[in-house]
Amino acid sequence: KHTEKGGAQMNANELLKRCPFCGGEATMKRHFIGESRTRYKIGCDACGFALSWCNRQSHAVKNWNRRAKEDKA
């Protein structure tokens, strides 16, 4: 198991956004299955909200960073 804190570079300049519910810092967990398979899960350190495991890191980051309403600046 390996953990990466939000704000650390994830993949192609993608950063983890803060928790959509409490604003807490997000953590990505990596779970190694055998020698060739890895799964990823992102959750909030503060409130415990987490998404389900993804087979790809990019999907986990995309799912976590998705929000119902994005700010239009």
Side-chain angles (χ1 to χ4, degrees), residues 21-35:
F21 298 105
C22 75
E25 189 172 338
T27 300
M28 175 181 286
K29 295 180 181 178
R30 254 193 301 194
H31 180 70
F32 297 98
I33 304 168
E35 292 185 25

Side-chain angles (χ1 to χ4, degrees), residues 1 4 9-10 16 23 29 31-33 35 38 42 44-46 48-49 54-55 64:
K1 248 185 197 179
E4 299 176 28
Q9 185 147 351
M10 293 290 154
L16 293 178
K29 295 180 181 178
H31 180 70
F32 297 98
I33 304 168
E35 292 185 25
T38 305
I42 300 175
C44 176
D45 294 338
F49 173 77
C54 290
N55 291 327
W64 178 263

